[in-house]
C-alpha cells in the first residue's frame, strides 16, 4: 500500500514439514495515485487552507510526496481538519464523511471530504478582571477582537497572564478564562473574560551559594538576573541557571527558592553547583579540499583566580595532500575576562604567530598580531564589539605577476586598526541550522595616525537565512559583500587585506581563489570589492544521509583596474560574475555536517574544468 497498491492482498500458509515451509501468496492488484482531493460543504474556509495540513494529496516534485492513499495517514488528516476548524472559530464543525473513488482507467483515486461547518464564532470583546498589577507592562495576548475564537489561543493567553504575574513575584496567582457567546447575525459573538486572583507577592531574600570550592561567590551571583529584594521570578531563576551553565565551569547547577520562608513575604534562593576541573587539554584533526589535513592542540585553564578568567595556548597546523608537507603553522595565546570590571562587557585578547605557505595562495605569509577586544550582548543573539588589531605581516614567495601588479606587497606591512562589529544570530542550531537568521557587519579602519604604513578602510557584511520547507527540508541562502580602499596616497589595498573568491566556502565548482582578476601568468590577484551569493536546499535521503542541491555566484573586482599590465577579468561587468550549481551528500555529526559536493560551472570558459569536488566539515554560511 505504501507503494500505491491500495488493494494488495497477502495470504499466508504454513505447509507441513519437516522442514516447514511458509508460503506468502501476493495479489498486488493495480497501482493507484491520488488524482485530486476536494471538499464539500466548506463555505467558511477555502480548499487551499484545508489542504495545507494534509499529508494525503496528489504527488509532487518533493520525493516523499508520492501521492498514495494510506488509511491511517488519511485518518490523521481528518483529525487535523477537525482541529483546524476549531482554531478558526467553528466550534460545532464535523467531518461527516470521506469518500474515495477509484478510476481503473487512469489508475487515479479521487478523495472527497464532506463537512458540516456550523456557525463561526468571532471574538467581539475581551475583558481583564483583577489584572491591574500588570497595567505598567501588560503582556500581548493572542486572542484579538474581530478574529475567530481559537480555544488554544484562549488557553495560551491564560498561561501568559499567569506567567506575567509570576514575573512580578506572584507565583501562586490563579487565572481563569470564561467564554460567553451570543447570536450575532450569521455568526456567534464571543466575550472572552480573563479573571485573576494574584495572591501573595514573594520577593528574593538571601542568595545562598553552596559547593563553590574554587569559584568566587561574586562570579556566581553576578550571573543571576535577580538580587535581594527583587520579585521572585521563576523565569529569572531558570535564566540564571542557564547563564551559570554557559560559564563552562560547572557539571551541574541548581537555582531554586528554598522551602523555608524568610521574614515576611521573602524567600531565600539557593544556588548549588558542582565544579568541573578547570584545566583542559584538547586535540583534533580534520580534512577539507581547501586546506588539506588540519590538526590542533590546546591547553587551557578556565577559572583563573576563581574569577572565570580563561587563558589558553593553541597550536594549529595544516598539511597539503599534494606534497605531504606542512603548509601552515599557527600559535595562539589567548585570554578572556567574562565580566570586565563586573560590567556586562567581555574582554578578550589574542597573541598570534602564523606562517603559511599554502599552494592555493599566490604568496606565502609570516604574521604576528596582538588583538584585544571588548564585546557584549545587548540582547539574546545580538552582540556588539570593538576590536583593536596590531599586526606585522611579511608576504614572501609572491608570484611574479602578482608582485608586478603591486610591488609594495613585498614590503613589511604594519597595520594598526580599529574594528567595530555587530553580529545577530537567532539560528536554532549553530552547527546544523534549520531556521533563523545570521547577520554580521564588520569594519576595519587602519589610519596612519595609529601606525599603519598603508592606511585603508575595509567593510564586510553578511546576511544568511534558513527557511524550513518541511520535516528536515531546509532552504538556505546567503549574501556576502565586502569593500576596501586605500584612502591616503592611493595605490592598491595590501594583498593580505584583498578579497579572494572561489572554492568550497564561497563559490563551489571553482578551485580556491580562482575567481576574479588575474595577472599575466594567470595568478589570482585578489580585489577590493567582492560579492558572493549562495543558495541551497537540503533534504533527507536514507541511512542517515542527506542530500543537497545548490547554486552559487560571485565575483571579485578591482575598483581601479590598471591597463597595459596584462591584468585579466578585473572589469566591473556581469561577464566576470561567475556562476555554478551542483549537488552533494551530507552526514550530520555533533560538530556539523560532513559534506561531499560537486559543483558545475554554469559559465565554463575555454581551458577551465567542468567543475570541482569539495569535501568539508561544518556549515559554509
Amino acid at each position: 500500500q505504501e507503494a500505491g497498491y491500495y488493494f494488495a492482498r497477502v495470504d499466508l500458509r504454513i505447509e507441513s514439514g519437516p522442514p516447514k515451509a511458509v508460503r506468502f501468496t501476493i495479489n498486488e492488484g493495480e497501482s493507484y495515485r491520488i488524482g485530486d482531493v476536494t471538499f464539500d460543504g466548506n463555505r467558511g474556509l477555502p480548499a487551499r487552507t484545508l489542504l495545507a495540513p494534509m499529508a494525503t494529496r496528489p504527488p509532487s516534485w518533493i520525493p516523499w510526496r508520492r501521492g498514495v492513499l494510506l488509511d491511517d495517514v488519511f485518518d490523521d488528516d481528518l483529525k487535523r481538519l477537525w482541529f483546524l476548524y476549531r482554531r478558526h472559530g467553528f466550534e460545532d464543525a464535523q467531518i461527516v464523511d470521506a469518500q474515495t473513488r477509484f478510476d481503473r482507467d487512469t489508475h487515479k483515486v479521487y478523495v472527497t471530504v464532506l463537512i458540516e461547518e456550523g456557525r463561526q464564532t468571532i471574538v467581539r470583546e475581551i475583558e481583564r478582571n483583577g489584572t491591574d498589577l500588570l497595567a505598567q507592562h501588560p503582556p500581548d495576548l493572542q486572542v484579538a477582537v474581530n478574529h475567530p475564537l481559537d480555544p488554544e489561543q484562549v488557553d495560551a493567553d491564560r498561561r501568559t497572564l499567569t506567567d506575567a504575574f509570576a514575573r512580578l513575584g506572584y507565583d501562586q496567582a490563579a487565572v481563569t478564562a470564561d467564554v460567553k457567546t451570543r447570536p450575532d447575525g450569521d455568526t456567534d459573538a464571543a466575550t472572552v473574560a480573563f479573571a485573576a486572583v494574584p495572591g501573595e507577592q514573594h520577593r528574593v531574600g538571601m542568595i545562598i551559594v553552596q559547593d563553590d570550592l574554587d569559584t568566587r561567590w561574586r562570579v556566581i551571583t553576578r550571573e543571576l538576573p535577580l538580587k535581594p529584594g527583587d520579585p521572585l521570578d521563576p523565569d529569572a531563576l531558570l535564566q540564571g541557571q542557564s547563564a551559570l551553565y554557559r560559564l563552562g565551569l560547572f557539571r551541574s547547577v541548581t537555582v531554586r527558592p528554598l522551602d523555608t520562608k524568610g521574614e515576611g513575604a521573602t524567600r531565600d534562593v539557593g544556588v548549588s553547583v558542582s565544579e568541573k576541573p578547570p584545566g583542559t587539554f584538547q586535540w583534533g584533526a580534520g580534512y577539507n579540499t581547501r586546506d588539506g589535513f588540519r590538526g590542533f592542540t590546546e591547553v587551557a585553564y578556565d577559572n583563573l583566580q576563581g574569577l572565570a578568567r580563561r587563558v589558553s595556548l593553541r597550536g594549529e597546523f595544516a598539511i597539503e595532500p599534494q606534497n605531504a608537507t606542512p603548509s601552515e603553522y599557527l600559535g595562539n595565546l589567548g585570554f578572556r575576562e567574562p565580566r570586565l570590571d563586573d560590567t556586562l562587557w567581555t574582554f578578550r585578547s589574542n597573541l598570534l604567530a602564523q606562517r603559511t605557505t599554502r599552494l592555493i595562495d599566490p604568496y606565502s605569509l609570516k604574521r604576528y598580531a596582538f588583538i584585544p577586544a571588548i564585546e557584549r550582548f545587548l540582547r539574546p543573539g545580538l552582540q556588539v564589539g570593538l576590536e583593536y588589531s596590531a599586526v606585522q605581516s611579511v608576504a614572501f614567495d609572491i608570484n611574479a605577476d602578482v608582485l608586478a601588479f603591486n610591488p609594495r606587497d613585498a614590503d613589511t606591512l604594519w597595520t594598526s586598526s580599529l574594528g567595530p562589529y555587530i553580529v545577530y544570530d537567532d539560528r536554532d542550531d549553530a552547527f546544523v541550522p534549520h531556521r533563523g537568521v545570521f547577520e554580521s557587519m564588520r569594519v576595519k579602519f587602519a589610519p596612519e595616525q595609529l601606525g599603519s604604513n598603508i592606511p585603508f578602510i575595509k567593510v564586510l557584511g553578511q546576511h544568511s537565512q534558513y527557511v524550513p520547507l518541511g520535516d528536515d527540508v531546509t532552504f538556505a541562502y546567503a549574501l556576502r559583500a565586502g569593500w576596501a580602499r586605500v584612502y591616503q596616497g592611493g595605490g592598491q589595498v595590501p594583498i593580505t587585506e584583498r578579497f579572494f573568491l572561489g572554492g568550497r566556502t564561497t563559490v563551489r565548482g571553482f578551485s580556491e581563489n580562482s575567481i576574479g582578476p588575474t595577472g599575466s601568468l594567470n595568478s589570482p590577484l585578489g580585489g577590493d570589492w567582492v560579492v558572493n551569493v549562495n543558495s541551497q536546499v537540503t533534504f533527507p535521503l536514507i541511512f542517515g544521509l542527506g542530500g543537497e542541491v545548490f547554486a552559487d555566484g560571485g565575483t571579485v573586482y578591482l575598483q581601479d583596474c590598471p591597463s597595459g599590465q596584462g591584468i585579466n577579468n578585473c572589469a566591473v561587468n556581469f561577464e566576470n560574475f561567475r556562476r555554478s550549481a551542483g549537488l552533494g551528500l551530507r552526514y550530520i555529526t555533533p560538530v556539523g555536517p560532513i559534506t561531499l559536493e560537486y559543483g558545475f560551472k554554469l559559465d565554463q570558459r575555454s581551458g577551465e574544468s567542468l567543475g570541482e569536488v569539495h569535501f568539508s566539515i561544518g556549515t559554509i554560511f
Side-chain angles (χ1 to χ4, degrees):
Q1 288 187 350
E2 290 180 356
Y5 294 90
Y6 185 79
F7 294 105
R9 296 293 180 266
V10 180
D11 293 325
L12 168 66
R13 185 176 65 185
I14 302 178
E15 298 178 349
S16 60
K20 291 181 180 288
V22 180
R23 184 178 301 278
F24 294 94
T25 303
I26 302 171
N27 181 11
E28 291 181 345
E30 299 292 341
S31 175
Y32 288 88
R33 290 293 187 271
I34 295 174
D36 197 7
V37 178
T38 58
F39 304 91
D40 189 2
N42 58 313
R43 296 179 301 276
L45 298 181
R48 64 178 181 274
T49 300
L50 299 176
L51 190 60
M54 295 182 64
T56 303
R57 55 172 61 195
S60 73
W61 60 271
I62 302 177
W64 55 91
R65 189 168 290 168
R66 296 167 297 164
V68 298
L69 178 63
L70 297 173
D71 291 339
D72 54 345
V73 174
F74 188 41
D75 288 342
D76 289 340
D77 285 339
L78 297 180
K79 294 176 183 177
R80 280 191 283 268
L81 289 176
W82 188 86
F83 282 108
L84 178 66
Y85 265 103
R86 270 144 188 79
R87 289 199 298 271
H88 284 80
F90 293 91
E91 185 179 5
D92 298 324
Q94 297 295 329
I95 308 299
V96 178
D97 194 10
Q99 300 173 354
T100 54
R101 180 175 63 85
F102 292 84
D103 190 324
R104 297 184 180 275
D105 295 332
T106 62
H107 290 181
K108 296 289 183 64
V109 54
Y110 297 92
V111 179
T112 302
V113 181
L114 304 179
I115 302 169
E116 287 186 2
E117 291 183 335
R119 293 168 63 86
Q120 188 179 28
T121 303
I122 305 297
V123 177
R124 299 303 184 191
E125 187 179 3
I126 301 174
E127 297 178 356
R128 302 187 190 187
N129 301 313
T131 62
D132 295 343
L133 295 171
L134 307 178
Q136 290 187 350
H137 302 286
D140 294 330
L141 301 183
Q142 299 180 37
V143 176
V145 174
N146 296 327
H147 284 69
L149 176 68
D150 183 352
E152 292 185 3
Q153 289 183 344
V154 174
D155 191 55
D157 288 345
R158 184 190 60 80
R159 294 194 300 269
T160 297
L161 291 171
T162 302
D163 293 341
F165 276 110
R167 287 193 293 272
L168 296 178
Y170 297 92
D171 56 338
Q172 302 298 322
V175 180
T176 59
D178 182 43
V179 179
K180 295 180 180 180
T181 62
R182 66 182 186 277
D184 185 16
D186 295 335
T187 62
D188 288 342
T191 299
V192 181
F194 296 99
V197 179
E200 184 181 21
Q201 185 185 37
H202 292 135
R203 293 187 175 272
V204 177
M206 297 175 58
I207 297 179
I208 302 171
V209 181
Q210 297 176 313
D211 301 325
D212 52 327
L213 304 179
D214 296 322
T215 308
R216 297 193 185 184
W217 177 83
R218 68 184 180 94
V219 171
I220 295 175
T221 56
R222 72 188 181 190
E223 297 297 325
L224 301 177
L226 44 77
K227 60 183 182 295
D230 287 348
L232 184 61
D233 178 5
D235 285 346
L237 299 179
L238 292 176
Q239 293 169 13
Q241 186 167 292
S242 298
L244 289 172
Y245 267 119
R246 286 195 296 270
L247 288 177
L249 304 178
F250 308 112
R251 289 194 181 96
S252 63
V253 178
T254 302
V255 181
R256 60 183 178 85
L258 301 179
D259 293 335
T260 56
K261 291 188 177 182
E263 181 180 352
T266 63
R267 297 190 66 180
D268 297 337
V269 173
V271 182
S272 178
V273 298
S274 175
E275 294 177 319
K276 292 180 181 178
T280 59
F281 173 76
Q282 302 179 54
W283 62 273
Y287 174 83
N288 65 69
T289 48
R290 174 178 177 170
D291 304 311
F293 295 97
R294 295 193 65 88
F296 80 92
T297 58
E298 181 181 82
V299 179
Y301 193 86
D302 295 327
N303 199 9
L304 193 66
Q305 298 177 305
L307 295 174
R309 294 168 176 164
R310 187 176 196 270
V311 62
S312 63
L313 179 62
R314 181 184 179 96
E316 299 182 25
F317 66 92
I319 299 176
E320 294 187 334
Q322 296 93 325
N323 50 22
T325 58
S327 60
E328 183 177 10
Y329 298 98
L330 175 67
N332 184 354
L333 177 62
F335 173 77
R336 183 176 184 272
E337 168 63 76
R339 290 290 190 92
L340 185 61
D341 197 25
D342 283 341
T343 67
L344 295 177
W345 290 91
T346 296
F347 172 79
R348 59 175 172 83
S349 66
N350 295 88
L351 188 62
L352 303 175
Q354 181 184 20
R355 177 185 172 89
T356 175
T357 57
R358 300 186 306 180
L359 295 178
I360 62 173
D361 297 323
Y363 63 95
S364 298
L365 176 69
K366 289 190 296 185
R367 181 170 70 113
Y368 304 94
F370 173 60
I371 308 174
I374 57 172
E375 57 193 13
R376 66 167 291 184
F377 282 95
L378 298 181
R379 63 184 182 86
L382 180 61
Q383 185 184 47
V384 297
L386 177 64
E387 186 175 84
Y388 171 76
S389 177
V391 182
Q392 181 202 43
S393 58
V394 180
F396 61 98
D397 291 340
I398 306 173
N399 292 0
D401 52 346
V402 178
L403 187 59
F405 167 68
N406 186 24
R408 296 184 67 183
D409 285 338
D411 298 337
T412 299
L413 178 66
W414 292 88
T415 301
S416 181
S417 64
L418 291 174
Y421 60 90
I422 181 169
V423 178
Y424 177 68
D425 186 359
D426 76 338
R427 295 173 297 174
D428 58 347
D429 189 320
F431 293 105
V432 189
H434 292 291
R435 68 173 68 242
V437 172
F438 178 86
E439 295 174 315
S440 69
M441 178 66 72
R442 295 178 180 271
V443 178
K444 190 172 186 179
F445 178 58
E448 188 177 27
Q449 291 80 356
L450 288 180
S452 300
N453 52 12
I454 300 182
F456 67 91
I457 185 170
K458 185 176 181 180
V459 182
L460 186 63
Q462 174 177 343
H463 167 76
S464 302
Q465 186 162 4
Y466 298 82
V467 182
L469 301 180
D471 294 339
D472 298 324
V473 182
T474 304
F475 168 71
Y477 71 91
L479 307 174
R480 289 177 279 194
W483 174 85
R485 190 74 169 174
V486 174
Y487 64 88
Q488 285 182 0
Q492 299 292 342
V493 175
I495 192 170
T496 55
E497 300 294 340
R498 294 203 290 270
F499 301 106
F500 290 85
L501 201 67
R504 72 177 185 92
T505 62
T506 55
V507 183
R508 291 161 284 187
F510 291 82
S511 56
E512 299 294 332
N513 301 338
S514 63
I515 295 176
T518 58
S520 58
L521 302 178
N522 211 34
S523 299
L525 301 178
D528 48 24
W529 181 21
V530 63
V531 178
N532 184 200
V533 181
N534 304 96
S535 63
Q536 71 179 28
V537 176
T538 58
F539 48 85
L541 292 175
I542 57 174
F543 306 124
L545 287 174
E548 63 180 43
V549 293
F550 61 83
D552 296 338
T555 189
V556 173
Y557 295 126
L558 282 169
Q559 299 173 67
D560 297 325
C561 183
S563 59
Q565 298 185 20
I567 307 302
N568 304 309
N569 307 322
C570 69
V572 180
N573 56 40
F574 184 71
E575 181 182 355
N576 286 328
F577 187 90
R578 306 304 306 272
R579 303 171 297 281
S580 68
L583 64 164
L585 293 173
R586 56 191 320 199
Y587 184 79
I588 305 301
T589 73
V591 294
I594 298 176
T595 57
L596 178 64
E597 302 165 316
Y598 189 85
F600 298 88
K601 297 180 177 70
L602 298 181
D603 52 357
Q604 183 185 9
R605 297 175 178 176
S606 176
E608 289 184 337
S609 63
L610 177 64
E612 295 286 338
V613 176
H614 305 286
F615 176 83
S616 63
I617 299 178
T619 56
I620 68 167
F621 55 83

